[in-house]
Amino acid sequence: MRMSAWLLALALGGAPALAGEDEAQTCLRNLIWEGYKEGWSVRTASSTTLGQDEFRVFAVTLYRGSAYHVLACGDAGLTAVGLSLYNADGQVLVQAPPGGVQPVVDYTPDATGTFYVSVRAEAMATPGARAGVGMAVTYR
Amino acid sequence: MLPRLCCFALALLPLGAGCGDPPAPPPEAPAAPQPALTLSAADLAAADPVALVPAPREMQRALERAGVAQSLASRVSDRPAPPADADLDRVAVYTGVVLADLLLTASSATPAQIGARVGLVHAGLVRLGADAEALAALEELRARVENGALAGDALVTELDELAGSRLPAWEARLSPRALPLVRAGAWLEGASLVSGAMVEAGRFDGATDLLRQPAVVDYFQAVAAQSTAPTQLQSQLQATLEVLDRTTAQPSLGEAEVREIQASTQALLVLL
């Protein structure tokens, strides 16, 4: 059945989308494990399903002087994921470089406080579809 | 001559080398980068708290960075498991405390001690409704620790990843409020250990950066308020969080606040 689906999708002119949060979580876990080799530890990882331009906002506490590496991963249903970090008032501090489905934001606060992270589905592989996106906060 | 040249040119048309071919289209320009999302006050108020609470090892690193040369692991003590008839709130908070202890002592405790703590976390998650997949991961990890196959940095990494990455994914399979209360237990244990370390070291200059987390306190107060269980633990949990709420509402923390935090968190932890 799966082979037929692949062939059908190729015949229709595109690779099949392996949508789902499971794929995003797997992608995220691979990045987290890679990060451990560089001294990053994970605080929390989470995933969600988003449609075009939909977003999710996370509140995060960041410690003064600790380095943070915030990751996001989109599944094959996405062609661009937006990732940004904001201060407690909702002002943008850092925006991940545009394009791609594995954006990263790095930040070291000069005071402990509450910050916010937004993850947005900026471009879908298939119009009208929904896709899985994961986000993780890592630190060292 | 001219007609022959045109015939020659026409003959070359099928090869794509004739006169009048349209110019190749320019390469597609990359899509213009989107500006960062603008967040409204409502967006901030509705923000997901899943990543709000610092991890125990993160608290240790922050403590070290603040110049307090105290090992939180050395301050961890064994805690007996709750009785079989303990309510699920108590089980969840206790499980969080032991999870924090496990993460903080993973590089210093003996395999038997680590295995015992993994066992307590496992038992807690069983009572909180964890499914076979979650329990199997813990059982497998415990077996590798106890037979010496997993230790040191590799153990720390696996425990860290399990607590930070896999445990949140199990939340929907646990009883309601279980994971937030597990987080509360872990954070309160961390706050107790950090404040105790600062008191012992006589160092309070980093108190604001280490312990002033009003959003975390607000989050746990909201979780605690959902309980209808009129237990002593529940009452103390709310009392402890009220002290933390009042303390962390101040713009800066000093020795008095650190001692208050230590005392109020200890008042809860002794009930577990």
Side-chain angles (χ1 to χ4, degrees), chain A residues 51 53 65 89 122:
Chain A
D53 291 329
D89 297 322
E122 292 189 341

Side-chain angles (χ1 to χ4, degrees), chain A residues 30 72 82 86 98 116 123 128:
Chain A
N30 289 338
Y86 308 75
Y116 295 90

Side-chain angles (χ1 to χ4, degrees), chain B residues 5 12 62 85 93 144 172 180 184 199 201 213 236:
Chain B
L5 184 62
L12 290 175
D85 61 350
V93 174
R144 285 192 292 142
V199 168
Q213 299 171 21
Q236 183 59 55

Side-chain angles (χ1 to χ4, degrees), chain A residues 25 29 32-33 36 39-46 52-53 55-68 84 86-90 92 95 98 110-123 135 137 139-140, chain B residues 31-39 43-59 61-62 65 154 156-166 168-169 183 187 194 205 208-216:
Chain A
Q25 285 176 1
R29 286 190 67 197
I32 289 169
W33 279 107
Y36 274 107
W40 297 103
S41 299
V42 65
R43 172 198 292 185
T44 307
S46 182
Q52 177 72 51
D53 291 329
F55 62 92
R56 193 155 164 197
V57 179
F58 300 88
V60 295
T61 303
L62 302 183
Y63 279 110
R64 173 187 177 181
S66 292
Y68 291 91
S84 299
Y86 308 75
N87 66 12
D89 297 322
V92 178
Q95 180 185 10
D110 57 12
T112 298
T114 303
F115 298 77
Y116 295 90
V117 171
S118 74
V119 180
R120 177 168 61 174
E122 292 189 341
M135 185 282 296
V137 176
Y139 63 93
R140 68 181 181 190
Chain B
Q34 294 199 32
L37 188 64
T38 298
L39 299 183
D43 291 330
L44 302 186
D48 189 330
V50 68
L52 178 65
V53 184
R57 290 180 61 237
E58 190 179 353
M59 299 168 96
R61 292 190 189 180
R65 198 169 280 114
V156 172
T157 298
E158 282 211 32
L159 284 172
D160 207 53
E161 193 272 339
L162 187 145
S165 180
R166 281 190 280 171
R183 289 194 189 107
W187 185 80
V194 167
D205 47 332
T208 303
D209 283 320
L210 289 170
L211 294 169
R212 187 178 179 277
Q213 299 171 21
V216 173

Side-chain angles (χ1 to χ4, degrees), chain B residues 92-145:
Chain B
V93 174
Y94 173 84
T95 301
V97 170
V98 177
L99 180 61
D101 292 346
L102 174 62
L103 292 167
L104 290 169
T105 60
S107 58
S108 59
T110 66
Q113 289 174 316
I114 296 169
R117 289 195 173 114
V118 173
L120 288 171
V121 172
H122 180 280
L125 292 179
V126 167
R127 296 187 60 186
L128 295 172
D131 64 12
E133 176 196 345
L135 299 173
L138 282 170
E139 287 163 0
E140 190 267 345
L141 185 144
R142 181 179 186 179
R144 285 192 292 142
V145 168

Side-chain angles (χ1 to χ4, degrees), chain B:
Chain B
M1 182 65 176
L2 187 58
R4 185 175 293 177
L5 184 62
C6 283
C7 288
F8 179 77
L10 286 170
L12 290 175
L13 274 175
L15 301 176
C19 304
D21 277 345
E28 189 173 328
Q34 294 199 32
L37 188 64
T38 298
L39 299 183
S40 66
D43 291 330
L44 302 186
D48 189 330
V50 68
L52 178 65
V53 184
R57 290 180 61 237
E58 190 179 353
M59 299 168 96
Q60 169 75 71
R61 292 190 189 180
L63 185 71
E64 292 164 0
R65 198 169 280 114
V68 181
Q70 291 268 336
S71 164
L72 296 183
S74 65
R75 310 185 65 80
V76 166
S77 56
D78 289 333
R79 298 178 186 278
D85 61 350
D87 63 273
L88 292 185
D89 282 3
R90 179 177 175 181
V91 173
V93 174
Y94 173 84
T95 301
V97 170
V98 177
L99 180 61
D101 292 346
L102 174 62
L103 292 167
L104 290 169
T105 60
S107 58
S108 59
T110 66
Q113 289 174 316
I114 296 169
R117 289 195 173 114
V118 173
L120 288 171
V121 172
H122 180 280
L125 292 179
V126 167
R127 296 187 60 186
L128 295 172
D131 64 12
E133 176 196 345
L135 299 173
L138 282 170
E139 287 163 0
E140 190 267 345
L141 185 144
R142 181 179 186 179
R144 285 192 292 142
V145 168
E146 292 180 339
N147 70 22
L150 183 61
D153 289 347
L155 169 61
V156 172
T157 298
E158 282 211 32
L159 284 172
D160 207 53
E161 193 272 339
L162 187 145
S165 180
R166 281 190 280 171
L167 186 57
W170 300 335
E171 180 167 9
R173 309 173 201 178
L174 301 177
S175 55
R177 300 168 51 249
L179 193 54
L181 285 173
V182 168
R183 289 194 189 107
W187 185 80
L188 288 165
E189 171 74 338
S192 179
L193 294 172
V194 167
S195 57
M198 297 179 75
V199 168
E200 185 170 315
R203 290 286 305 270
F204 305 102
D205 47 332
T208 303
D209 283 320
L210 289 170
L211 294 169
R212 187 178 179 277
Q213 299 171 21
V216 173
V217 176
D218 287 346
Y219 166 56
F220 289 139
Q221 284 185 304
V223 172
Q226 295 171 14
S227 172
T228 57
T231 64
Q232 183 183 14
L233 181 81
Q234 181 61 27
S235 298
Q236 183 59 55
L237 176 61
Q238 293 185 346
T240 294
L241 291 172
E242 283 170 9
V243 170
L244 294 174
D245 185 32
R246 175 171 46 76
T247 305
T248 59
Q250 300 176 46
S252 65
L253 309 186
E255 179 176 352
E257 290 75 32
V258 172
R259 291 184 181 276
E260 261 199 289
I261 290 170
Q262 183 192 24
S264 64
T265 52
Q266 278 295 314
L268 171 72
L269 295 170
V270 298
L271 295 179
L272 294 174

